[in-house]
Amino acid sequence: MDKMDKEILFSRDAIGRRVQEMAGQISDDYQGRELIVIGVLKGAFIFMADLIRALAIPCKVDFVRIASYGAGSESSGKVVLTKDIETSIKGRDILLVEDIVDTGLTLTYLVNWLKERNPNSLRVCAFLDKRKRRKVSFEADYVGFTIEDGFVVGYGLDFNEQARFLPEVYILKQEDVEVKE
Ligand code: IMP
């Protein structure tokens, strides 16, 4: 699939404004503290880069990597950690940053896994939330935009590794999503 049939959902400006608002809220909530921000690769890297640069508080960064979507748009339901964090999080304030919450399986797994390392606090910040698709109940503490069902790309989110670099968020037309490569 070389050319994706897609429609714009969120412009650069709309994303920029929302990320600033989220960073403002997080900065207020963590005033006087230092966060460890953990991004979920690969999807969260662009959102996280913008978010932390808009924070008014200091932070350190780390990443985990999860394999759940191999190809296409349907989750296998199986979450595998393929890259661990490199920072000790015991007694620290942690903000886990994810591109999108869909079934909720990935974040449920990651939150449980991080809690075992005894952080002082742990909150989740997701750029997008597809609430209606949950397979397990999961609430992120900070959400950029709530969206309806449909597959979205851009601003870090991909479809078979394509379209991550786009600065806007697009929704794919159904025919494209059904194409399995
Ligand atoms: P969950 O475990 O089903 O909540 O899935 C979370 C992961 O699925 C995200 O980190 C994304 O990598 C991927 N994902 C879910 N929906 C979309 C989408 O619409 N576009 C791109 N990736 C998605």
Side-chain angles (χ1 to χ4, degrees), residues 40-44 66 68-69 73 75 79 98-107 128 130 133-134 147 150-153 157-159 164:
V40 185
L41 293 171
K42 301 176 193 173
I66 282 285
S68 54
Y69 280 73
S73 67
S75 171
V79 180
E98 173 65 307
D99 55 357
I100 186 165
V101 197
D102 186 18
T103 63
L105 290 166
T106 304
L107 283 168
L128 299 174
K130 278 198 245 179
R133 299 241 322 155
R134 290 292 196 284
I147 61 172
F151 204 79
V152 290
V153 296
L157 292 115
D158 76 308
F159 178 66
R164 282 192 205 280

Side-chain angles (χ1 to χ4, degrees), residues 84-178:
D84 199 345
I85 48 171
E86 290 156 24
T87 316
S88 167
I89 62 165
K90 191 165 182 239
R92 305 300 307 266
D93 294 312
I94 308 304
L95 186 68
L96 182 62
V97 176
E98 173 65 307
D99 55 357
I100 186 165
V101 197
D102 186 18
T103 63
L105 290 166
T106 304
L107 283 168
T108 300
Y109 171 86
L110 277 175
V111 163
N112 290 334
W113 178 79
L114 287 169
K115 276 186 178 161
E116 281 173 19
R117 298 181 179 202
N118 299 314
N120 177 53
S121 69
L122 173 59
R123 284 189 185 169
V124 174
C125 176
F127 175 57
L128 299 174
D129 190 352
K130 278 198 245 179
R131 304 186 63 86
K132 289 189 184 148
R133 299 241 322 155
R134 290 292 196 284
K135 287 187 179 154
V136 288
S137 87
F138 184 87
E139 289 287 334
D141 301 281
Y142 305 97
V143 171
F145 300 98
T146 298
I147 61 172
E148 294 299 312
D149 198 1
F151 204 79
V152 290
V153 296
Y155 200 62
L157 292 115
D158 76 308
F159 178 66
N160 288 348
E161 291 302 324
Q162 295 179 80
R164 282 192 205 280
F165 61 91
L166 297 170
E168 306 84 10
V169 170
Y170 295 83
I171 184 146
L172 293 193
K173 298 273 176 65
Q174 200 54 36
E175 313 84 74
D176 278 343
V177 178
E178 280 161 9

Side-chain angles (χ1 to χ4, degrees), residues 75-86:
S75 171
S76 62
K78 200 167 158 239
V79 180
V80 183
L81 188 87
T82 57
K83 187 215 166 294
D84 199 345
I85 48 171
E86 290 156 24

